[in-house]
Amino acid sequence: MNTVIRESLNAWWPEAWLSLGGLLAMVLGVWGGKAGAADGRGARAAAAVLWLALLAAAVALWRTPEATSSSLFFGLIVCDPVSLPFRWLALGAVAVTMLLIAASKELASAPRGEAYGLLGLIGVGLMLMAEASHLLMAYVALELVSLASYVLVGFLEERRSAEASLKYLLYGATASGVMLFGMSLLFGLTSSLSFSDILLSVDGMHQPMAGAVMLAVLLMLVGLAFKISMVPFHQWTPDAYEGAPVAVAAFLSVGPKAAGLALLLRVMGALEPVWPTIAPVVLGLTIVTMTLGNLVALVQTNVKRLLAYSTIGQVGYLLIGFVVHTDLGIEAMMLYLIAYFFMNFGAFACVVAVVNDSGSEALEAFRGLGRRSPVLALLCTLFLMSLAGIPPLLGFFGKFLLFGSAIAADHTALALAGILNSAIALYYYVNLVRLMYFVEPQRAGVLQPPWMLRVTLGVCGAMTLGLGLFPNALLQALRAIVSANLL
Amino acid sequence: MTLTWLLLVPFIGMLAVLALPRSSVKAIRMVALGATGIVLIMSLRLLDAFDPSLGLQFEEQVSWIPQLAIFYRVGVDGLSLPMVLLTTLLSFLACIGSFSITDRHKEYFALYLLLEIGMLGTFLAIDLFLFYIFWEIVLVPMYFLIGMWGGGRREYSAFKFFVYTLAGSLFMLLAILALYLHPQGRTFDMFELAAKGHTFPVAFQQLLFIGFFLGFAIKVPIFPFHTWLPDAHVDAPTPGSVLLAGVLLKMGAYGFFRISYPILPEAAQWFSWTMGLLGAINIVYGAFVAMAQTDFKRLVAYSSVSHMGFVLLGLASLTSEGMNGAMLQMFSHGLLTGGMFLLVGVLYDRAHTRELAAFGGLGAKLPKYAALLIFFSLGSLGLPGLSGFVAEFLSLLGAFRIEHLQVLTMISVIGIVIAAAYMLKVIQQILLGPLNQKWQALSDMNARELISLVPLLLLVLLVGLYPRCLLDLQSPTIQQLLAHILFGK
């Protein structure tokens, strides 16, 4: 037993460091600074601790022993190659969000230390979601992410923030209740919670048991669909984003989406025999998700709501890789997730800068940004163009692979839906560019973002362009991961 | 490295412009002019070293994304070289014309040079993936050029241009992907794909042809996808209109020559009559609508729709005369329309109106302007001895030889008659009649304006009197292409 724990811990240092950092940051945040004191000592100490923990986690993840596929902690999690990119994304999302929180003026009077603590813990939850090989662990990880997210959404001392948080909580609790019901149903049918055992039991199951499994799968899908904002469980997204601090909205639009897709891959891997029956449903929902997200985004006037609907649209593209159910699809999905990470965080960083300056979240606040802050506007344009899929940016290359995987798998309808949506989406992305460059500014003065934002923008911009021009290394790494896929 | 330098020089120029301080307008202009000038000289030396009988030349190939067999692969042959020359020439001349820009010079010239990279790359690329990237890169600077420095409803026009073209090219993207993923494809190399062209199943070819067609047709533009053109051309700043009409439209037609026809030969034959029909519609419809315009620039814009129809008609014929005529028309239209848009700009800079009815009698007041306007108008209406005549004549000749295109060809001839009518209307309304007293103080063209127009004039004359200078360049490649399409050689 001791050897199991030792071996498990050995592969699990990154998560261990991050948990430690998160908890410590939480304690420091509560203890060190009374809320209201702008950037109290507690908050700074919490930030420092979490940064150190992140660094330690990154080093541990970098030096992680040759990823194994044997399950750890008595079969609760598995640190296989597929989990690797998602763990990196989780760490990255925490790091970028810390920068954004530190840069946000709207959070200046909020207890930031606690926010850092919660963020660290969500990070652990995200990593666990990507590693779960057991229904119990999947549920715990999902709830860890959800509970902490509810709190973060309500972090502003405003009514709409609290309202958003409550709405998110109500929707979330319902969705996870439904999912839990599905899980218990599945447990009853297979008398197992471990993914590998479930796969064995489900394989070769006949009616009427197979029908019950289908029901269980659909119910579980509800919880996952909620997490990744898949239609028809997307309604919370714009409301939660609108009420949440910009930095938190940024985090929600990337972190949980990536981890949710990872978990979706794992769960569906365990339920492989049911896939052919359920595929048409997911296919239809994928097309509806991207279309609805992009169409509703057209009429938004609040930039956070706009990006929320844009997220729904982007999730639709990401799901293409999942639906086509091939190695190429998974590879494309992972690459697009990485692209989405950089371009979406970049776009949100621009929003933080604009909201800091004007205090307004209306699209109009972007007016004349090209004159007031040329570099910021240029980067913002870069991110928006990448989201729209204009070459030679990384977002384009991701879409290229995604649509390619759809055609290769004879899902031409999916590829067609994808390109039609890309054309629709261009409208609202370009509209922001138009406001930045073609319209006279409303406010005078140069807009100078703080260093935290400049770092975020610089890194995201460099990656969006650099990886877009030279995606070789990334593609090679992902290809190795997918070909070692033992799901 | 010759061809890569063609792309690198404007890129270096762009970086230099970005590095210069905002206030040193003169230096920014000089850098941009220098970069476009060097590219022009380099392309002329390319012409000198080019051997028409050899096919693809100056090839360069560097592995780019090996996992997907994507290469950085460039080269020129008889199809692309004239287009490259047209691009470098118009880029240089329109850069001189860009000196009249008064606002945000740094952004303007940086975008302008980026645009030149995109245009040249599109004509140089031999790899489909690379082609697509350059094709799309062109959209972004042009969007900004129209939206930031344009006039009228510039935001709307810029937006329409962007969305229309992107929507079309997305279909092209799907077709490119389908080609690559086809078991017989597995490459992005245009020439390799063309060599396998006849082995693709016909139904597959037809589907892909439609995909590429949507991408190219919007760019050409082919009726009914042309509605972005008048808006974008009219609201763009003069240099933007010159490049839009002179080069961007050619990108679409070039796509047919370079991609659709060689790679999908059976589909090209299957589409011949439709292409001829669309060509005839473009010619006649464009001409009639141009006739009805009261705005000078709008009239020239619609005349482009009409003139590009001859390219389609020539393409549809799949004969040596027709295809040569089509290529020649692309070059000739670039010169003539480039000149016309520059002339519109000259007048607009002075009078701040483009209403044809507002003018009159300027012939005596502005003799140099009058001479140039008459020259380019006559070129546009197809006066023998000037480039437009040879090109249109060859296109019609080629199309008339094909039985199923004969009626369409006869209808198309109407377009030339109407072209004469609207071009003479321009001359009459602007140059003849009594002088409107409002224009008493107008000055004639200055040296800078003359420098940007005279080279075009000389080339129009040269191509008109001695079309072999271009035909010799392109016809070996076209013969090969035809043999490949029709006989699978």
Side-chain angles (χ1 to χ4, degrees), chain A residues 4 132 172 206 214 218 247 252 300 338 340 342 370 421 425-426 442 445:
Chain A
V4 174
H206 295 294
M214 274 298 297
L218 284 176
L252 289 183
Q300 299 306 316
I338 293 168
Y340 179 64
F342 289 118
N421 268 287
L426 186 73
Q442 261 176 334

Side-chain angles (χ1 to χ4, degrees), chain B residues 54-254:
Chain B
L54 284 182
L56 194 67
Q57 288 161 61
F58 306 104
E59 270 180 279
E60 287 167 42
Q61 178 169 331
V62 181
S63 180
W64 182 14
I65 306 173
Q67 290 89 348
L68 298 176
I70 294 171
F71 288 83
Y72 168 81
R73 201 183 267 140
V74 290
V76 284
D77 63 1
L79 294 178
S80 44
L81 187 64
M83 292 298 107
V84 169
L85 289 169
L86 183 68
T87 308
T88 54
L89 177 74
L90 287 180
S91 293
F92 178 71
L93 297 179
C95 190
I96 300 177
S98 299
F99 283 13
S100 54
I101 296 291
T102 53
D103 181 31
R104 293 196 258 191
H105 301 85
K106 191 164 151 173
E107 286 92 338
Y108 178 89
F109 284 104
L111 287 167
Y112 187 88
L113 290 169
L114 181 63
L115 180 64
E116 184 172 18
I117 299 173
M119 295 186 300
L120 282 173
T122 308
F123 293 127
L124 293 176
I126 299 300
D127 186 282
L128 274 177
F129 186 84
L130 188 67
F131 174 85
Y132 185 79
I133 288 198
F134 282 124
W135 175 279
E136 293 281 80
I137 282 182
V138 169
L139 296 186
V140 179
M142 189 47 97
Y143 168 75
F144 282 108
L145 288 189
I146 300 173
M148 286 170 79
W149 292 275
R153 296 196 297 163
R154 60 196 166 91
E155 289 177 22
Y156 168 81
S157 302
F159 182 70
K160 196 169 175 183
F161 163 76
F162 201 164
V163 172
Y164 259 68
T165 334
L166 187 94
S169 40
L170 282 168
F171 286 98
M172 173 164 83
L173 181 67
L174 273 197
I176 292 176
L177 276 167
L179 260 183
Y180 172 70
L181 292 165
H182 193 271
Q184 275 149 37
R186 294 289 156 196
T187 172
F188 285 106
D189 185 325
M190 294 178 191
F191 282 79
E192 230 176 283
L193 284 169
K196 297 174 185 166
H198 287 281
T199 63
F200 292 119
V202 175
F204 176 75
Q205 283 192 28
Q206 291 170 345
L207 203 62
L208 291 205
F209 193 92
I210 292 170
F212 280 116
F213 177 81
L214 287 174
F216 300 146
I218 289 178
K219 203 86 165 183
V220 168
I222 297 177
F223 178 90
F225 304 109
H226 66 285
T227 55
W228 65 269
L229 178 134
D231 289 320
H233 281 57
V234 170
D235 292 336
T238 303
S241 310
V242 171
L243 292 181
L244 255 177
V247 182
L248 263 64
L249 306 191
K250 312 303 177 294
M251 285 167 50
Y254 173 78

